Amino acid sequence: PAIKEGLQNGLAVLPKFNEEVREFMKTGKVLCLTESPVNPIMWAHYGANNTGVALGFRSVPALDSPYGMAMPMNYVASPPELINNAYITQLAAGGIPITPNELFDHLVLTKAASWSYEREWRVHSGDGRDRNAPYEDIPFGLNELEAVIFGLNTSKTDRETLSELAAKYPNAALYKVQIGNKAFEYDLVPLS
């Protein structure tokens, strides 16, 4: 009887729990990164059809860089179950607690398999510095910027302006992508 009552209580609070998860997700801040700056599809989607710029970052532990906290995405064929029978059994046995951060990680780090070409990693910082802001621009340190990569069609003006800005970062190398010999990828070449 106690198990039945526990399951009924669990089902009764599920709508409230789902609403709390939705509210939690609304204010979460996520930084999306990729392993590969040479993927033409990424440049088409996120690089303004090859006119944009990609930034490469390094994690500097002394600066408490967020980049070292990045976690790889899990690419799956179908949406995962947040709570399944095994989870409920462990929960009922007192083996594991429900934690919002664990659920947030599960939700934030899962994406459809069709997006796997992105080779994405994410950093999430909960509500960030301003819970109600739709996004936050956080400056990065002088030693955290490792590369500035120009797209195939980045304008000369943008290239010159951004090269001047990048000169303030002592470890930032300048690159451009070009159509290369590798199948389905660009080559990354130093900007001369």
Side-chain angles (χ1 to χ4, degrees):
I3 292 174
K4 282 185 179 181
E5 182 181 343
L7 288 174
Q8 288 172 344
N9 290 342
L11 290 173
V13 300
L14 196 54
K16 184 178 185 322
F17 175 75
N18 286 336
E19 184 56 35
E20 287 174 0
V21 169
R22 278 192 284 280
E23 285 301 312
F24 189 71
M25 293 295 291
K26 282 182 186 177
T27 58
K29 305 300 187 290
V30 178
L31 173 64
C32 302
L33 306 165
T34 183
E35 293 177 16
S36 175
V38 293
N39 184 317
I41 300 171
M42 294 289 282
W43 279 97
H45 286 171
Y46 303 112
N49 202 24
N50 287 286
T51 62
V53 175
L55 302 178
F57 296 101
R58 75 168 46 90
S59 180
V60 181
L63 299 177
D64 198 22
S65 297
Y67 314 110
M69 298 185 319
M71 302 290 292
M73 291 299 294
N74 298 309
Y75 296 102
V76 297
S78 59
E81 296 175 325
L82 285 181
I83 298 176
N84 57 25
N85 288 339
Y87 188 87
I88 290 171
T89 302
Q90 284 289 326
L91 189 63
I96 52 175
I98 293 179
T99 63
N101 285 341
E102 180 182 336
L103 291 173
F104 189 67
D105 280 345
H106 195 61
L107 291 167
V108 168
L109 298 175
T110 303
K111 207 169 189 178
S114 57
W115 292 97
S116 64
Y117 70 88
E118 292 182 337
R119 294 167 47 193
E120 184 178 350
W121 288 61
R122 289 185 177 177
V123 175
H124 75 82
S125 59
D127 290 333
R129 290 169 175 84
D130 181 352
R131 182 179 201 279
N132 297 317
Y135 63 90
E136 295 178 22
D137 290 330
I138 307 298
F140 44 86
L142 287 177
N143 293 310
E144 292 176 308
L145 184 64
E146 185 171 60
V148 177
I149 305 164
F150 297 98
L152 290 173
N153 301 319
T154 304
S155 72
K156 181 180 179 189
T157 302
D158 286 348
R159 190 178 292 177
E160 289 170 355
T161 301
L162 293 170
S163 293
E164 280 181 38
L165 290 171
K168 298 174 186 175
Y169 295 85
N171 298 311
L174 302 179
Y175 298 95
K176 63 181 176 180
V177 294
Q178 67 182 24
I179 297 172
N181 297 324
K182 291 183 182 177
F184 306 115
E185 285 193 347
Y186 292 147
D187 284 340
L188 188 63
V189 296
L191 192 63
S192 45

